[in-house]
Structure formats: C-alpha cells, structure tokens
Amino acid sequence: MTGLDPLLVVEHLSVEFPTDDGALHAVDDVSFAVMPHETLGIVGESGSGKTVTSMAVLGLLPTRARVSGAVRFRGQDLLGMREKDLEKIRGAKIAMVFQDALTALNPAYTVGDQIAEAVTVHNQIGRDALATRVRELLTLVGIPNPSERAEQFPHEYSGGMRQRAMIAMSIANDPDLLIADEPTTALDVTIQAQVLEVFGRIQERTESAIIIITHDLGVVAGVADRVMVMYSGQQVELASVDDLFYNTRHPYTAGLLASLPRLDRRADKADRLHRITGQPPSLVFRPSGCSFHPRCPEARIGGLCTEVVPELREVAQGHLSACHFAQDIFGVERVS
Amino acid sequence: MIPEEEIRRTDPDLSRRMDTGGIIGTGLGAQAGVELGLEPGGGSGGGSGTGPVARSQWQLFRRRFLRHRMALISLVVLALLIVGCFGATFFAPYSKNGQDLLLGPVSPNGTHWFGTDELGRDQLSRLLYAGQLSIEIGITVALLSTILGTAMGAIAGYFGRTTDQALMRFTDLFLIVPDIAILALALAYFGQANITIILVLAGIFWMGIARVMRGQVLSLKEKEFVEAARAAGASPLRIITRHILPNTIGTIMVDATLAVAAAIITESTLSFLGFGVQPPNTSWGKMLSDAEGYVGTSKAYLLYFPGFAILLTVLAVNFVGDGLRDAFDPQSGRG
C-alpha cells in the first residue's frame, strides 16, 4: 500500500443481535481498510459475519442490531450518519451487488427501467440521455442487443445475464466502492468466470474499489488483491492474496486451503479431501479463548488457545493473523 | 462511457440519432431504435433481426388486455352504460321525472320499453338518469377508498412498529363500528348531498384494502429487491411507490373493482333505508327500494331492470379489473 488515503476504514466493528439466549455476536471487533482501486476479498463460511459486515458498512442492518465501532468512508463517519445523508451515499458512492439476482431484481419492471431507476435515484437526467446511459451500462456488462434486452423483464433473462444486469444497476452512478455479496454463488463456473471478468472490466473503466464477499477461495484467488478471512464473526487473517495462499499464518485458513480439491496434488491414502472437523461454534455461546480452538489441529490444550482470545497482530509485512502460534507453526511450513 | 460522450460532443446529429430509442417511455421511441438497429456505446450487439422481438411495455399491456375477451366485451358494455347514462338527456325517451298519473304502472311495451311505475314515469328514462348517480358513486368511492386504503396499508406495513400499531388500531376502530349506523349518523349530520354519500361510503370501504395491502407490503419489504433499492439509496417514499406498489397492482385492481360493486350495492341499501338519495333524485338502488313492494306481483318488472343494471355494471367492472390485472402482470406470458 502506498501513501494513498484509504477509501473505507472499518475500525473495531462489532454487531450484536439480541436473542432470548443473550446477545448473538455476528461480527466481533473487525477492522480493515480498503484502498482506492483495490479489490478486497472477504472469505468465510456461512454465518461467519461476511454479509453482516458489509450491511453494517451501508447501514442496512435491521434496527434491532446493535452496532459499535467506526466505519469511515473518505473520512466521513457512516455509522453515526443520518438516514437522509446515507441515502445520498448508497448507490452513488458505495453500491452493492446482491447474491441472488432473481430476487434482487424487481419482477414488476423491465431491466431497462430498473437500471434507469438506479440512475434517477441520484441524478435528474432527461429521458433520451437516460436511455442512452442504460444501453451503455448494459453494453459495459456484456449484454448483447442492449436496446431490446432493456425492454425485457428479469424473468426473461438467464441467470448470468440477471447477475450482469444487477452489476449494471450497481455501477449506474460510477460508485467509488462496489460491495459484491457472493455475486457468483448462484452461477455455474462458466458464467461465474464471465461475471468475474465483468468485474475486472468495470474496475479498469471506472477505477472503483471492490469488496468481494465469497466462500469460494478460487474466486478470491482470481480477482482479489488482499483477502480477509473471517471465522465465527471474527477476522482470523488478513493478507495479500499471494501471502494468504502461499504463506498461510492461521490454522483455519490452512484448513480451508487444504480442503480444496487440487489437480496437482495426489489424493491421500483414504482418497478423500481434507476436512476441518467439527461445526462452526454458536455465535451466542462462543468457546473460550480462540474461537477456533475446538476444531484446530494445532490447539495446545490447557494453554493459551483455550484461555486467551488471540489478538490480531502483524506477523509479517502487511500480514495479520489472529493465532497465538502464527509464528511457530507457519514460520517454516508452507501449505502447497 | 467516454467514447460516446465524445461522439455526442463532436457530432450533435449522430447524438440525436443515438437518442431515438427511448427505453423508458411508451413504445414508439424504443421501436424506432430497434428498427434502425442502433447499437450505441459499443459494438457487441447483433443489431435488429437477431434475438427476440422487443415490444414496449405499453404494447405488451395492450396485447394482453385485448386477448382477454370478457374484459374487452365488458369494457364495451361499460362504455355503453356510461355513455347511455351520462348522455341521458339525448337518449332517454322521456324526461327524468315526467309523470303520467292517468297512465299508472304499465308493463313493458312498445312506447315504454321498460314499463312505467305507479306515477306513470318511464322506467327506461329513469334507469338512465339513475345510472348517473350509481356509476358516479361506484367509481369515485372505489377510487377514494382504494387510494386511502393503499396508502394506509403501505405505510403501516413498510414502517412497521409504532406506525403500524397506530394505523392498524385506527383501521380496527373503523372496522368495529357498525357501518350503517355511522352512515346514517353522518348523512343526518352532514346532509344528504351526493358528495357526502361518496365520502361516507369511501370512509367505510378503505379498511379492507388497507389490511390486505399491509400484509402484501409486509412480505414484499423483506424481498431482496427492496433491500437492493435501499442499497441503491432510494428513500422510503420512493421504495414504496416505485418498488413495492407496482408489485401489488393485481391486488389493488381486484379490490378496487370489488369496491365499485360494493359501493353501488351499499348505496342501494342506504337509499332503501331512506338515508341515501332523496327524491326526486334517484339511483339504481333507490329504484329498487321504491319497487320493493312489488316483489311477487305482476309489477315485479320494476325490480328487474334496476337490478339487472346493477348486476351488469358490477360484472363488467369485475371483468375489466380481471383483464387489467392480467395485463399488468409481466409474467403472464407474451402476446
């Protein structure tokens, strides 16, 4: 990272939801920054707090959620901001791409009208200019025959085209930051590749920063500059994409990487993929110490792991890990 | 994006042509764009001739509505009724209140197609004049109550919490008070002008649609596209009017047409009880109540014609509403 000011700074963000059994810690003390033009990947399994983190940034959480910490966008505090002012930022400066484009598109409008709507929420422009802009956006995301396709309804689009239409809506106002929440999860691999390519093209054209949330390490490896790994609402590792893959410093990340099927590695004796044993912990009753210790192959019983919550600390240049033994375990060993 | 902007700056004529394909408006602009095969902003399109034929929303709407045969017939019937009633001065063979006491009640015949009542008034003429009021009441009451109910339900459902509680308890209050009692009181208090009847009827019809709308909005607001609209920076008002309500058009349509029927019938009830339209004015309901004493006698024709007029109007309105609902639904298949 150069001397540039970060676009988005998240500091000690925590989100709790009150439940009958006590507070559910969906996000627990997460801090990260997004630089201009950068792509940050957020990886984690279901329920690890990826989506809640991104919703908190845009202030889209339900009102019962208790949010603490700080979210600053270009120095402006987003958490304390009035709803009216937030509306001016949402969609214009920070835009969001949703996971399931079929449900995230309004079935009552044509795709063209919806993209036009995304534009007119923030800009008053004439009808002709608007129509041109809609075609331009559809062309940019690679939808053929934009004039005709704009007249069609979401249910007449294929899955990949819907996702592209969603992306077209999100970039309608040239946002500085695009948050894509599992944008390729509902798509098959070919379409997935095409959609990811669209993100790359957009970033070239509009120079926006992208936060891409996914549970697919392959996606992250392909598009992200830096990656944050989340587990049980906490961040466990944050590193550049190469460091994360080749110089892993957290047993959870290592477990995730090891569980990927790989062509270049011989299957082990039992001919099975590696798996992380056990289940993710409850977000209401978290294990003591490191929340990953019950499943961690490296956990030292009766020691630090079960007693002390590990701090996220810098274990190498620009490489943060929340493991007590980040140095010991992974200093030598390479996962590859 | 930049290349097109440059084209626009350097070549205003081309820029104008690029704009021919209006996407937002009614069909004409977009059609023109398709026919010219213009593909602005990049060359990835195949131009016209490939892919599905684009039809504007208005064209689709029209096609789907025209395919709905009963709706079409009903529309014609309704149009005839409205023209006949509101043009009664031209069409009615006799004047509205012209009496012929010597004639008395006669059965339908060549001179009096629908017969006459005990005062010798031509029933066809009276039916046409009476229709003015019935149709006026039916349509305005439906419009007013639908607008009020939709607004109340949508606001309550979208904002939830205290707003919801307050608005829905207010709605309940209106629901539990006996309609006819309110109506009678209000009409006695404010006088029996037509406008009072309309306002009072609207005042007792909006609760149904308010509750239905609240339910619809409650479920729709959890949809991801509403969240997407919020993430795009749309204000609550914009989300309700532009993202949620268009998805409830079917419900609104059905409820509005039912309200037309209910209003015409309730007005009849009121007139029957003597609280509604006052003589010499008349409505279909009033004609029914006037003829009430003839049930089972040879003069029962006095009941048939206004009754049939109400039935015809209500049915026609319902069919038109049905057709509109289908035509509004983007997923009901392409014409």
Side-chain angles (χ1 to χ4, degrees):
Chain A
M1 297 301 105
T2 53
L4 279 168
D5 283 339
L7 194 63
L8 180 79
V9 178
V10 174
E11 275 171 357
H12 306 294
L13 179 73
S14 294
V15 181
E16 291 177 5
F17 292 95
T19 70
D20 291 343
D21 299 326
L24 182 150
H25 305 270
V27 176
D28 193 2
D29 195 20
V30 167
S31 304
F32 63 93
V34 183
M35 294 293 167
H37 321 323
E38 171 187 51
T39 302
L40 174 73
I42 302 183
V43 188
E45 55 200 292
S46 304
S48 60
K50 304 170 301 214
T51 302
V52 176
T53 303
S54 65
M55 293 300 214
V57 167
L58 275 179
L60 289 174
L61 290 170
T63 39
R64 68 199 159 86
R66 285 199 298 269
V67 185
S68 61
V71 176
R72 282 195 302 275
F73 176 73
R74 291 188 183 288
Q76 283 178 287
D77 178 33
L78 293 186
L79 289 187
M81 198 176 256
R82 293 209 331 270
E83 187 71 13
K84 268 255 168 285
D85 298 318
L86 263 179
E87 279 165 14
K88 295 202 185 84
I89 289 188
R90 291 182 192 142
K93 307 273 184 247
I94 307 180
M96 191 140 185
V97 180
F98 286 82
Q99 174 180 349
D100 185 354
L102 181 58
T103 53
L105 289 170
N106 193 329
Y109 284 109
T110 63
V111 172
D113 279 357
Q114 293 189 57
I115 298 174
E117 163 77 5
V119 177
T120 48
V121 166
H122 296 286
N123 299 299
Q124 292 302 315
I125 66 172
R127 257 172 58 172
D128 290 350
L130 195 59
T132 313
R133 177 76 178 140
V134 168
R135 284 196 301 268
E136 212 174 74
L137 287 164
L138 285 173
T139 310
L140 183 65
V141 296
I143 289 184
N145 300 338
S147 308
E148 291 160 36
R149 284 300 193 168
E151 289 283 317
Q152 292 184 330
F153 288 92
H155 71 270
E156 297 173 273
Y157 272 44
S158 70
M161 287 178 68
R162 273 182 219 134
Q163 194 62 53
R164 285 187 232 185
M166 269 299 295
I167 297 172
M169 278 174 70
S170 64
I171 58 167
N173 299 302
D174 286 329
D176 299 323
L177 176 64
L178 200 59
I179 302 178
D181 187 1
E182 308 244 8
T184 58
T185 305
L187 308 173
D188 69 56
V189 272
T190 339
I191 308 300
Q192 182 173 321
Q194 289 171 7
V195 168
L196 289 177
E197 193 224 337
V198 168
F199 277 110
R201 200 156 67 224
I202 287 163
Q203 205 164 25
E204 261 170 49
R205 287 284 280 273
T206 63
E207 304 205 309
S208 59
I210 298 178
I211 296 180
I212 191 158
I213 297 168
T214 179
H215 57 250
D216 188 337
L217 287 163
V219 169
V220 161
V223 298
D225 300 314
R226 288 192 306 140
V227 185
M228 177 165 99
V229 181
M230 290 187 73
Y231 179 76
S232 175
Q234 296 161 325
Q235 57 190 144
V236 294
E237 194 165 7
L238 177 64
S240 74
V241 68
D242 287 347
D243 276 347
L244 190 92
F245 277 81
Y246 297 114
N247 213 356
T248 316
R249 294 300 187 102
H250 196 283
Y252 177 63
T253 317
L256 281 183
L257 288 170
S259 60
L260 289 178
R262 293 180 57 153
L263 291 174
D264 59 343
R265 195 164 53 189
R266 210 164 349 125
D268 51 310
K269 285 154 259 164
D271 223 2
R272 304 182 100 170
L273 283 170
H274 173 80
R275 65 196 176 96
I276 302 175
T277 50
Q279 293 288 321
S282 149
L283 294 173
V284 182
F285 308 106
R286 243 202 215 113
S288 62
C290 171
S291 57
F292 187 57
H293 86 257
R295 306 172 72 190
C296 181
E298 312 285 349
R300 318 282 209 261
I301 306 297
L304 279 172
C305 295
T306 51
E307 305 289 326
V308 182
V309 180
E311 296 254 329
L312 189 74
R313 58 207 166 88
E314 193 156 23
V315 292
Q317 172 73 38
H319 193 146
L320 307 176
S321 167
C323 176
H324 291 302
F325 302 102
Q327 234 89 21
D328 313 355
I329 305 167
F330 301 101
V332 221
E333 190 193 336
R334 297 185 108 208
V335 178
S336 60
Chain B
M1 268 151 271
I2 301 122
E4 182 160 312
E5 230 107 282
E6 267 165 26
I7 296 171
R8 284 173 178 284
R9 235 178 290 123
T10 50
D11 188 348
D13 183 49
L14 180 61
S15 163
R16 211 165 29 251
R17 274 194 289 138
M18 286 163 105
D19 286 344
T20 336
I23 289 178
I24 303 312
T26 56
L28 293 169
Q31 273 310 89
V34 172
E35 275 156 22
L36 292 169
L38 287 173
E39 296 293 342
S44 68
S48 64
T50 61
V53 186
R55 294 202 187 93
S56 76
Q57 286 182 75
W58 168 240
Q59 283 174 307
L60 282 172
F61 174 83
R62 209 175 44 196
R63 274 181 88 92
R64 282 196 290 251
F65 187 79
L66 292 183
R67 218 171 31 187
H68 207 295
R69 191 139 300 159
M70 282 313 283
L72 211 59
I73 296 172
S74 298
L75 196 65
V76 174
V77 169
L78 215 52
L80 285 177
L81 274 170
I82 289 171
V83 169
C85 291
F86 287 89
T89 347
F90 302 108
F91 299 115
Y94 297 87
S95 74
K96 183 177 171 189
N97 292 312
Q99 301 180 359
D100 191 344
L101 293 172
L102 292 176
L103 184 67
V106 296
S107 299
N109 57 49
T111 27
H112 298 283
W113 290 0
F114 288 3
T116 59
D117 62 10
E118 69 271 32
L119 297 177
R121 294 180 293 196
D122 181 62
Q123 286 298 288
L124 174 59
S125 306
R126 277 186 78 71
L127 197 70
L128 290 179
Y129 282 107
Q132 291 180 359
L133 195 58
S134 286
I135 292 173
E136 189 186 314
I137 286 177
I139 290 173
T140 41
V141 166
L143 269 178
L144 284 177
S145 63
T146 306
I147 292 170
L148 181 63
T150 304
M152 291 289 253
I155 291 169
Y158 186 80
F159 291 101
R161 299 169 156 253
T162 339
T163 320
D164 186 21
Q165 286 296 321
L167 289 182
M168 282 300 115
R169 294 302 79 79
F170 182 68
T171 309
D172 289 346
L173 192 71
F174 267 79
L175 274 172
I176 54 167
V177 177
D179 297 351
I180 300 294
I182 299 194
L183 277 171
L185 262 176
L187 289 173
Y189 190 79
F190 294 112
Q192 280 146 334
N194 292 349
I195 183 73
T196 321
I197 298 177
I198 288 171
L199 288 179
V200 168
L201 281 174
I204 61 161
F205 276 131
W206 62 271
M207 293 85 76
I209 182 121
R211 307 211 91 188
V212 173
M213 280 307 297
R214 173 178 172 270
Q216 290 247 318
V217 173
L218 272 180
S219 84
L220 281 169
K221 78 166 176 178
E222 300 300 329
K223 294 270 163 113
E224 226 174 41
F225 65 79
V226 172
E227 186 146 332
R230 285 216 296 144
S235 63
L237 180 70
R238 194 178 180 109
I239 293 176
I240 292 175
T241 54
R242 306 203 48 170
H243 297 266
I244 293 181
L245 287 189
N247 283 288
T248 62
I249 199 82
T251 317
I252 295 178
M253 228 54 231
V254 170
D255 214 278
T257 51
L258 290 178
V260 172
I264 291 178
I265 290 164
T266 310
E267 185 274 318
S268 317
T269 315
L270 276 183
S271 302
F272 179 79
L273 292 175
F275 293 113
V277 182
Q278 298 302 305
N281 273 335
T282 190
S283 69
W284 289 335
K286 175 82 177 133
M287 288 178 74
L288 268 184
S289 68
D290 288 346
E292 180 233 6
Y294 294 103
V295 177
T297 69
S298 61
K299 303 280 180 281
Y301 62 85
L302 287 173
L303 289 155
Y304 295 157
F305 294 111
F308 185 69
I310 293 176
L311 185 72
L312 195 66
T313 313
V314 169
L315 266 181
V317 170
N318 278 339
F319 276 124
V320 171
D322 235 24
L324 284 178
R325 188 200 54 203
D326 288 350
F328 272 123
D329 180 8
Q331 301 203 18
S332 73
R334 320 207 85 176

